[in-house]
Amino acid sequence: DDFPTPPWATRALLEYILSGKEIQKNNCWEPACGRGFMAEPLKEYFKSVYASDIQDYGYGKIEDFTFSKKLKFDWVITNPPFKLGEEFALKGIERAKQGVALLTRTTFIESVGRFERLFNTYKPYAVAQFVERVPMVKGRLDRKASTATGYAWIIWRNDVKVEQTRMAWIPPCRKILERNSDYPNSG
């Protein structure tokens, strides 16, 4: 499941949903870091970022998040392998002091089983739907890619009592948050 996250999509989470000066004092774990396309933008916002992945992509530590015994971090933020999304959410909720944010296909919220095992027990703080598409291509970051798949950030807060899940929209922001330096060999 190597689908690198365009860095602007990570910045969108921190600019529109989790914005605030308190984030700058926090640490974060990105447990499916791949080649670091999400971890690098997280470093722009957090005091420190621990990056790991079960595979060696040449970035971060080699570590299986689902079996790791690491101490708690303030935040766990990642684009998990789709088939392990639920497991990453549960492990993140267990380990994060403040919260968890997963970038998932919007269809991730459409499952009776997942509702019963995850969403009903651990009510998300927010679902933040991208209003523009976030193109992700297997094995590479491609500035010119397109997609028909919708994506959203699902956020759980351990530091806030959640009565009702908040629905939020991430406004069109790619042109604002995307940088030439985000793309390898972009010159």
Side-chain angles (χ1 to χ4, degrees):
D1 275 357
D2 178 22
F3 288 86
T5 304
W8 68 267
T10 302
R11 290 186 192 106
L13 170 70
L14 282 302
E15 290 289 329
Y16 296 101
I17 307 302
L18 299 181
S19 59
K21 293 191 188 272
E22 72 276 356
I23 290 291
Q24 297 170 353
K25 299 174 186 169
N26 293 164
N27 60 40
C28 178
W29 186 356
E30 207 293 53
C33 71
R35 286 175 294 287
F37 294 117
M38 183 178 284
E40 285 299 311
L42 289 171
K43 289 178 180 179
E44 297 167 15
Y45 297 88
F46 285 90
K47 180 180 177 181
S48 65
V49 175
Y50 180 81
S52 66
D53 202 302
I54 195 168
Q55 298 291 326
D56 184 1
Y57 293 99
Y59 186 95
K61 304 285 185 190
I62 300 171
E63 185 169 359
D64 184 341
F65 177 67
T66 60
F67 290 103
S68 176
K69 302 293 183 200
K70 286 274 181 243
L71 298 174
K72 290 190 174 199
F73 285 76
D74 295 316
W75 282 90
V76 172
I77 299 178
T78 194
N79 171 4
F82 188 77
K83 65 185 176 198
L84 297 176
E86 187 176 331
E87 189 172 355
F88 268 63
L90 291 167
K91 289 291 182 180
I93 291 165
E94 175 185 308
R95 293 192 174 119
K97 294 178 197 172
Q98 292 187 23
V100 177
L102 298 186
L103 180 61
T104 68
R105 294 180 209 153
T106 304
T107 57
F108 187 78
I109 62 176
E110 300 176 345
S111 166
V112 172
R114 196 172 295 121
F115 172 78
E116 292 172 354
R117 293 184 306 268
L118 177 62
F119 297 123
N120 194 35
T121 305
Y122 302 100
K123 192 179 302 272
Y125 170 76
V127 174
Q129 178 66 47
F130 280 93
V131 300
E132 63 187 322
R133 299 298 180 164
V134 179
M136 290 192 233
V137 180
K138 186 171 180 73
R140 71 186 198 285
L141 193 63
D142 186 345
R143 178 180 230 153
K144 296 179 181 168
S146 63
T147 186
T149 304
Y151 287 91
W153 282 102
I154 302 174
I155 300 103
W156 290 266
R157 298 291 302 251
N158 288 338
D159 61 342
V160 173
K161 182 170 176 20
V162 177
E163 301 281 334
Q164 177 114 7
T165 300
R166 176 178 153 231
M167 179 68 194
W169 285 265
I170 297 175
C173 59
R174 180 176 180 172
K175 289 181 181 177
I176 298 166
L177 300 176
E178 188 172 52
R179 301 176 186 159
N180 285 335
S181 60
D182 291 339
Y183 298 91
N185 307 315
S186 65

